[in-house]
Amino acid sequence: MKDNRTDTRRTRTKLVHGGTKRSQWGELSEAMFLTQGFAYDSAAAAEARFLQAGEDEYIYARYGNPTVRMFEERIALLEGSEDGFATASGMAAVNGALVAMLRAGDHVVAARALFGSCLYILEEILPRYGVEVTLVDGTDLDAWEAALRPDTKAVFFESMSNPTLEVIDIEAVSARAHAVGATVIVDNVFSTPVYSRALDQGADVVIYSATKHIDGQGRTLGGVILGTREFIRKTVEPYMKHTGGSMSPFTAWVLLKGLETIDLRVRAQTETAAALARRLAGHPALAQVIYPGLTDHAQHEVAMRQLGAGGTMLSIDLAGGKDAAFRVLDALEVILISNNLGDAKSIATHPATTTHQRIPPETRAVLGIGEGLIRISVGLEDVEDLAEDLLGALSGL
Ligand SMILES: *Cc1c(COP(=O)(O)O)cnc(C)c1O
């Protein structure tokens, strides 16, 4: 059988062929191995595999499965990591990476602008098990410096924050974290694996919710932890395989197909997002258009150095507050009101009343999540239809 599993090919080739394993029938498309278990040729073979499973040998789907392994290899090729562990959701990946490596007495520094469930793990769960957590403004390098200590074991942040699209400088934060020996764990969802060079820039571990751009078509929950073979197989795998957060083979198959097109999709979505940001900038109904690709974005220079693009997400701040935001959302015809992101369908979210509803208003104010803020995940529709939809909804104010 021809072997396309080479890491010397270019990105789009890796995304179509990387990690593919074929059965004796030589199927063209990746097979979905819907099996929890694997049968052994003999009792001695079972004993040997339990003693030490080989590179492509499986025991039980919670530990690994051929379709899941194909997904892990393909996303690891895209990110340029030695290995990866696929998880049932993005949150299983965040929780798994942190809990697998931390123990009572450890200290963690994290950026304050976090996805709600990530904040719950850091503020509620980890302290319950004796891990001390310090939250900082992720864009303030002096704040990182002041919070890091000799007992800091991990640093955690979203490289582009939700929903205010602050960009955190991976290189600068990693250099400071490594000076105290901390492991840098980056939740890279908004940056997307297409633009990420996080490992080259200093991150030790990169996490994706595959639910977002990797699926990109709103079908499944999934996640992945990427890092060195040592970290993935010695630290992450034992924790994940015994605690049940592994990815299902069906999910892995959907996500393998998502990876085949992710480069095309994310680049097209980014081009549309950039065009919409330019069209909306300066609109009289808007107090602000937030897009890392615009030169007036506070971390525009960091975004360009780190990602080379502004990404697929865009936020607009309505001068008229909640009332104006709701009127615009209700007037949209193409863009759907929902809370997912990275999807082929464009989605608008009002964070203050949905995804960030439970955050106290004072904290929302600190995070810059005002009542007029609308987050837009730009999809694959025609840019003119999206522009007409947004400008039409704004003109009704
Ligand atoms: C969605 C998301 C998660 C959680 O992913 P799920 O797949 O929904 O569990 C974590 N971090 C960020 C930044 C996200 O956007």
mmCIF file of all heavy atoms in Angstrom, residues 81-117:
data_model
loop_
_atom_site.group_PDB
_atom_site.id
_atom_site.type_symbol
_atom_site.label_atom_id
_atom_site.label_comp_id
_atom_site.label_asym_id
_atom_site.label_seq_id
_atom_site.Cartn_x
_atom_site.Cartn_y
_atom_site.Cartn_z
ATOM 1 N N SER A 81 3.217 19.024 16.125
ATOM 2 C CA SER A 81 3.545 18.474 17.452
ATOM 3 C C SER A 81 3.969 17.016 17.305
ATOM 4 O O SER A 81 3.620 16.364 16.324
ATOM 5 C CB SER A 81 2.341 18.566 18.388
ATOM 6 O OG SER A 81 1.287 17.749 17.926
ATOM 7 N N GLU A 82 4.703 16.521 18.285
ATOM 8 C CA GLU A 82 5.142 15.122 18.216
ATOM 9 C C GLU A 82 3.972 14.159 18.325
ATOM 10 O O GLU A 82 3.971 13.091 17.727
ATOM 11 C CB GLU A 82 6.126 14.828 19.379
ATOM 12 C CG GLU A 82 7.513 15.354 19.139
ATOM 13 C CD GLU A 82 8.421 15.084 20.331
ATOM 14 O OE1 GLU A 82 8.096 14.268 21.219
ATOM 15 O OE2 GLU A 82 9.481 15.738 20.370
ATOM 16 N N ASP A 83 2.964 14.538 19.123
ATOM 17 C CA ASP A 83 1.867 13.606 19.364
ATOM 18 C C ASP A 83 0.626 14.367 19.793
ATOM 19 O O ASP A 83 0.684 15.596 20.025
ATOM 20 C CB ASP A 83 2.282 12.601 20.452
ATOM 21 C CG ASP A 83 1.653 11.223 20.247
ATOM 22 O OD1 ASP A 83 0.638 11.134 19.520
ATOM 23 O OD2 ASP A 83 2.176 10.241 20.812
ATOM 24 N N GLY A 84 -0.498 13.644 19.895
ATOM 25 C CA GLY A 84 -1.739 14.270 20.331
ATOM 26 C C GLY A 84 -2.643 13.244 20.982
ATOM 27 O O GLY A 84 -2.529 12.056 20.693
ATOM 28 N N PHE A 85 -3.527 13.712 21.864
ATOM 29 C CA PHE A 85 -4.540 12.825 22.453
ATOM 30 C C PHE A 85 -5.907 13.442 22.196
ATOM 31 O O PHE A 85 -6.174 14.588 22.575
ATOM 32 C CB PHE A 85 -4.318 12.625 23.963
ATOM 33 C CG PHE A 85 -5.103 11.457 24.504
ATOM 34 C CD1 PHE A 85 -4.520 10.197 24.584
ATOM 35 C CD2 PHE A 85 -6.427 11.607 24.882
ATOM 36 C CE1 PHE A 85 -5.255 9.103 25.037
ATOM 37 C CE2 PHE A 85 -7.167 10.519 25.335
ATOM 38 C CZ PHE A 85 -6.574 9.264 25.425
ATOM 39 N N ALA A 86 -6.791 12.677 21.531
ATOM 40 C CA ALA A 86 -8.118 13.177 21.183
ATOM 41 C C ALA A 86 -9.071 12.973 22.345
ATOM 42 O O ALA A 86 -9.036 11.939 23.018
ATOM 43 C CB ALA A 86 -8.633 12.440 19.950
ATOM 44 N N THR A 87 -9.923 13.960 22.566
ATOM 45 C CA THR A 87 -10.826 13.930 23.721
ATOM 46 C C THR A 87 -12.283 14.121 23.283
ATOM 47 O O THR A 87 -12.561 14.545 22.168
ATOM 48 C CB THR A 87 -10.460 15.044 24.718
ATOM 49 O OG1 THR A 87 -10.524 16.303 24.030
ATOM 50 C CG2 THR A 87 -9.042 14.856 25.251
ATOM 51 N N ALA A 88 -13.189 13.816 24.211
ATOM 52 C CA ALA A 88 -14.617 13.838 23.899
ATOM 53 C C ALA A 88 -15.142 15.243 23.601
ATOM 54 O O ALA A 88 -16.149 15.392 22.918
ATOM 55 C CB ALA A 88 -15.399 13.226 25.057
ATOM 56 N N SER A 89 -14.472 16.260 24.119
ATOM 57 C CA SER A 89 -14.890 17.646 23.877
ATOM 58 C C SER A 89 -13.693 18.545 24.136
ATOM 59 O O SER A 89 -12.663 18.082 24.656
ATOM 60 C CB SER A 89 -16.043 18.030 24.829
ATOM 61 O OG SER A 89 -15.560 18.064 26.166
ATOM 62 N N GLY A 90 -13.846 19.808 23.819
ATOM 63 C CA GLY A 90 -12.779 20.758 24.116
ATOM 64 C C GLY A 90 -12.533 20.862 25.614
ATOM 65 O O GLY A 90 -11.396 20.948 26.080
ATOM 66 N N MET A 91 -13.626 20.811 26.402
ATOM 67 C CA MET A 91 -13.455 20.913 27.851
ATOM 68 C C MET A 91 -12.755 19.689 28.429
ATOM 69 O O MET A 91 -12.005 19.811 29.401
ATOM 70 C CB MET A 91 -14.808 21.149 28.543
ATOM 71 C CG MET A 91 -15.353 22.555 28.352
ATOM 72 S SD MET A 91 -14.126 23.894 28.350
ATOM 73 C CE MET A 91 -13.325 23.661 29.932
ATOM 74 N N ALA A 92 -12.996 18.514 27.854
ATOM 75 C CA ALA A 92 -12.269 17.320 28.326
ATOM 76 C C ALA A 92 -10.774 17.510 28.065
ATOM 77 O O ALA A 92 -9.932 17.040 28.841
ATOM 78 C CB ALA A 92 -12.788 16.067 27.622
ATOM 79 N N ALA A 93 -10.434 18.225 26.997
ATOM 80 C CA ALA A 93 -9.022 18.479 26.686
ATOM 81 C C ALA A 93 -8.420 19.481 27.673
ATOM 82 O O ALA A 93 -7.317 19.269 28.195
ATOM 83 C CB ALA A 93 -8.883 18.997 25.251
ATOM 84 N N VAL A 94 -9.144 20.572 27.958
ATOM 85 C CA VAL A 94 -8.633 21.582 28.901
ATOM 86 C C VAL A 94 -8.462 20.952 30.284
ATOM 87 O O VAL A 94 -7.405 21.043 30.917
ATOM 88 C CB VAL A 94 -9.598 22.802 28.977
ATOM 89 C CG1 VAL A 94 -9.181 23.750 30.098
ATOM 90 C CG2 VAL A 94 -9.645 23.533 27.639
ATOM 91 N N ASN A 95 -9.515 20.276 30.746
ATOM 92 C CA ASN A 95 -9.463 19.636 32.064
ATOM 93 C C ASN A 95 -8.364 18.570 32.101
ATOM 94 O O ASN A 95 -7.587 18.501 33.057
ATOM 95 C CB ASN A 95 -10.827 19.011 32.383
ATOM 96 C CG ASN A 95 -10.868 18.407 33.764
ATOM 97 O OD1 ASN A 95 -10.807 19.107 34.763
ATOM 98 N ND2 ASN A 95 -10.921 17.088 33.839
ATOM 99 N N GLY A 96 -8.300 17.766 31.043
ATOM 100 C CA GLY A 96 -7.319 16.682 31.000
ATOM 101 C C GLY A 96 -5.892 17.192 31.049
ATOM 102 O O GLY A 96 -5.073 16.704 31.829
ATOM 103 N N ALA A 97 -5.582 18.193 30.257
ATOM 104 C CA ALA A 97 -4.204 18.705 30.215
ATOM 105 C C ALA A 97 -3.800 19.272 31.574
ATOM 106 O O ALA A 97 -2.693 19.033 32.051
ATOM 107 C CB ALA A 97 -4.073 19.776 29.138
ATOM 108 N N LEU A 98 -4.724 20.003 32.222
ATOM 109 C CA LEU A 98 -4.384 20.636 33.505
ATOM 110 C C LEU A 98 -4.320 19.606 34.632
ATOM 111 O O LEU A 98 -3.318 19.511 35.344
ATOM 112 C CB LEU A 98 -5.408 21.728 33.849
ATOM 113 C CG LEU A 98 -5.326 23.002 32.994
ATOM 114 C CD1 LEU A 98 -6.565 23.865 33.192
ATOM 115 C CD2 LEU A 98 -4.068 23.803 33.350
ATOM 116 N N VAL A 99 -5.384 18.825 34.775
ATOM 117 C CA VAL A 99 -5.452 17.907 35.917
ATOM 118 C C VAL A 99 -4.390 16.801 35.800
ATOM 119 O O VAL A 99 -3.823 16.379 36.799
ATOM 120 C CB VAL A 99 -6.873 17.318 36.079
ATOM 121 C CG1 VAL A 99 -6.913 16.305 37.219
ATOM 122 C CG2 VAL A 99 -7.871 18.442 36.332
ATOM 123 N N ALA A 100 -4.111 16.374 34.567
ATOM 124 C CA ALA A 100 -3.128 15.296 34.391
ATOM 125 C C ALA A 100 -1.753 15.713 34.922
ATOM 126 O O ALA A 100 -0.997 14.883 35.413
ATOM 127 C CB ALA A 100 -3.023 14.906 32.921
ATOM 128 N N MET A 101 -1.416 16.994 34.835
ATOM 129 C CA MET A 101 -0.050 17.390 35.215
ATOM 130 C C MET A 101 0.061 18.066 36.584
ATOM 131 O O MET A 101 1.159 18.246 37.083
ATOM 132 C CB MET A 101 0.552 18.307 34.146
ATOM 133 C CG MET A 101 -0.098 19.677 34.046
ATOM 134 S SD MET A 101 0.969 20.857 33.176
ATOM 135 C CE MET A 101 2.296 21.026 34.347
ATOM 136 N N LEU A 102 -1.089 18.467 37.171
ATOM 137 C CA LEU A 102 -1.025 19.230 38.426
ATOM 138 C C LEU A 102 -1.275 18.360 39.647
ATOM 139 O O LEU A 102 -1.945 17.331 39.562
ATOM 140 C CB LEU A 102 -2.058 20.362 38.392
ATOM 141 C CG LEU A 102 -1.806 21.444 37.338
ATOM 142 C CD1 LEU A 102 -3.012 22.365 37.239
ATOM 143 C CD2 LEU A 102 -0.540 22.238 37.669
ATOM 144 N N ARG A 103 -0.739 18.790 40.787
ATOM 145 C CA ARG A 103 -1.044 18.124 42.054
ATOM 146 C C ARG A 103 -1.160 19.179 43.151
ATOM 147 O O ARG A 103 -0.779 20.340 42.947
ATOM 148 C CB ARG A 103 0.015 17.083 42.392
ATOM 149 C CG ARG A 103 1.436 17.627 42.520
ATOM 150 C CD ARG A 103 2.457 16.507 42.442
ATOM 151 N NE ARG A 103 2.439 15.881 41.123
ATOM 152 C CZ ARG A 103 2.299 14.577 40.917
ATOM 153 N NH1 ARG A 103 2.174 13.737 41.906
ATOM 154 N NH2 ARG A 103 2.300 14.096 39.688
ATOM 155 N N ALA A 104 -1.686 18.763 44.301
ATOM 156 C CA ALA A 104 -1.884 19.682 45.425
ATOM 157 C C ALA A 104 -0.574 20.403 45.741
ATOM 158 O O ALA A 104 0.493 19.788 45.746
ATOM 159 C CB ALA A 104 -2.388 18.918 46.642
ATOM 160 N N GLY A 105 -0.672 21.698 45.974
ATOM 161 C CA GLY A 105 0.511 22.490 46.294
ATOM 162 C C GLY A 105 1.065 23.232 45.090
ATOM 163 O O GLY A 105 1.874 24.150 45.247
ATOM 164 N N ASP A 106 0.626 22.855 43.885
ATOM 165 C CA ASP A 106 1.109 23.545 42.681
ATOM 166 C C ASP A 106 0.420 24.900 42.519
ATOM 167 O O ASP A 106 -0.679 25.126 43.013
ATOM 168 C CB ASP A 106 0.828 22.703 41.419
ATOM 169 C CG ASP A 106 1.759 21.506 41.302
ATOM 170 O OD1 ASP A 106 2.757 21.447 42.043
ATOM 171 O OD2 ASP A 106 1.470 20.624 40.460
ATOM 172 N N HIS A 107 1.088 25.765 41.759
ATOM 173 C CA HIS A 107 0.547 27.091 41.463
ATOM 174 C C HIS A 107 0.366 27.228 39.950
ATOM 175 O O HIS A 107 1.186 26.736 39.182
ATOM 176 C CB HIS A 107 1.540 28.155 41.981
ATOM 177 C CG HIS A 107 1.131 29.565 41.686
ATOM 178 N ND1 HIS A 107 1.941 30.428 40.962
ATOM 179 C CD2 HIS A 107 0.019 30.270 42.010
ATOM 180 C CE1 HIS A 107 1.325 31.602 40.876
ATOM 181 N NE2 HIS A 107 0.169 31.537 41.499
ATOM 182 N N VAL A 108 -0.727 27.864 39.549
ATOM 183 C CA VAL A 108 -1.022 28.085 38.128
ATOM 184 C C VAL A 108 -1.279 29.576 37.916
ATOM 185 O O VAL A 108 -1.943 30.210 38.729
ATOM 186 C CB VAL A 108 -2.288 27.294 37.695
ATOM 187 C CG1 VAL A 108 -2.682 27.615 36.261
ATOM 188 C CG2 VAL A 108 -2.065 25.795 37.855
ATOM 189 N N VAL A 109 -0.754 30.115 36.833
ATOM 190 C CA VAL A 109 -1.107 31.482 36.447
ATOM 191 C C VAL A 109 -1.890 31.396 35.139
ATOM 192 O O VAL A 109 -1.471 30.704 34.206
ATOM 193 C CB VAL A 109 0.139 32.380 36.247
ATOM 194 C CG1 VAL A 109 -0.294 33.818 35.948
ATOM 195 C CG2 VAL A 109 1.037 32.348 37.470
ATOM 196 N N ALA A 110 -3.029 32.087 35.094
ATOM 197 C CA ALA A 110 -3.865 32.052 33.892
ATOM 198 C C ALA A 110 -4.360 33.442 33.542
ATOM 199 O O ALA A 110 -4.502 34.305 34.415
ATOM 200 C CB ALA A 110 -5.057 31.121 34.122
ATOM 201 N N ALA A 111 -4.627 33.639 32.259
ATOM 202 C CA ALA A 111 -5.211 34.910 31.806
ATOM 203 C C ALA A 111 -6.672 34.945 32.229
ATOM 204 O O ALA A 111 -7.361 33.925 32.190
ATOM 205 C CB ALA A 111 -5.092 35.028 30.300
ATOM 206 N N ARG A 112 -7.137 36.118 32.642
ATOM 207 C CA ARG A 112 -8.487 36.255 33.185
ATOM 208 C C ARG A 112 -9.579 36.116 32.113
ATOM 209 O O ARG A 112 -10.662 35.612 32.388
ATOM 210 C CB ARG A 112 -8.608 37.619 33.877
ATOM 211 C CG ARG A 112 -9.880 37.812 34.651
ATOM 212 C CD ARG A 112 -9.915 39.162 35.364
ATOM 213 N NE ARG A 112 -8.971 39.222 36.460
ATOM 214 C CZ ARG A 112 -7.897 40.031 36.500
ATOM 215 N NH1 ARG A 112 -7.637 40.837 35.485
ATOM 216 N NH2 ARG A 112 -7.089 40.044 37.531
ATOM 217 N N ALA A 113 -9.296 36.557 30.893
ATOM 218 C CA ALA A 113 -10.310 36.536 29.836
ATOM 219 C C ALA A 113 -10.415 35.122 29.279
ATOM 220 O O ALA A 113 -9.684 34.741 28.375
ATOM 221 C CB ALA A 113 -9.941 37.521 28.733
ATOM 222 N N LEU A 114 -11.313 34.326 29.864
ATOM 223 C CA LEU A 114 -11.410 32.908 29.506
ATOM 224 C C LEU A 114 -12.846 32.515 29.194
ATOM 225 O O LEU A 114 -13.787 33.110 29.709
ATOM 226 C CB LEU A 114 -10.937 32.032 30.676
ATOM 227 C CG LEU A 114 -9.457 32.037 31.046
ATOM 228 C CD1 LEU A 114 -9.245 31.173 32.280
ATOM 229 C CD2 LEU A 114 -8.604 31.514 29.895
ATOM 230 N N PHE A 115 -12.971 31.479 28.373
ATOM 231 C CA PHE A 115 -14.232 30.781 28.138
ATOM 232 C C PHE A 115 -14.788 30.364 29.508
ATOM 233 O O PHE A 115 -14.024 29.931 30.378
ATOM 234 C CB PHE A 115 -13.886 29.562 27.278
ATOM 235 C CG PHE A 115 -15.045 28.742 26.836
ATOM 236 C CD1 PHE A 115 -15.936 29.216 25.896
ATOM 237 C CD2 PHE A 115 -15.229 27.460 27.333
ATOM 238 C CE1 PHE A 115 -16.992 28.439 25.465
ATOM 239 C CE2 PHE A 115 -16.283 26.684 26.904
ATOM 240 C CZ PHE A 115 -17.173 27.173 25.975
ATOM 241 N N GLY A 116 -16.095 30.505 29.714
ATOM 242 C CA GLY A 116 -16.692 30.282 31.031
ATOM 243 C C GLY A 116 -16.319 28.962 31.685
ATOM 244 O O GLY A 116 -16.009 28.905 32.882
ATOM 245 N N SER A 117 -16.332 27.872 30.919
ATOM 246 C CA SER A 117 -16.035 26.559 31.500
ATOM 247 C C SER A 117 -14.559 26.445 31.880
ATOM 248 O O SER A 117 -14.222 25.775 32.860
ATOM 249 C CB SER A 117 -16.419 25.451 30.522
ATOM 250 O OG SER A 117 -17.780 25.544 30.190
#
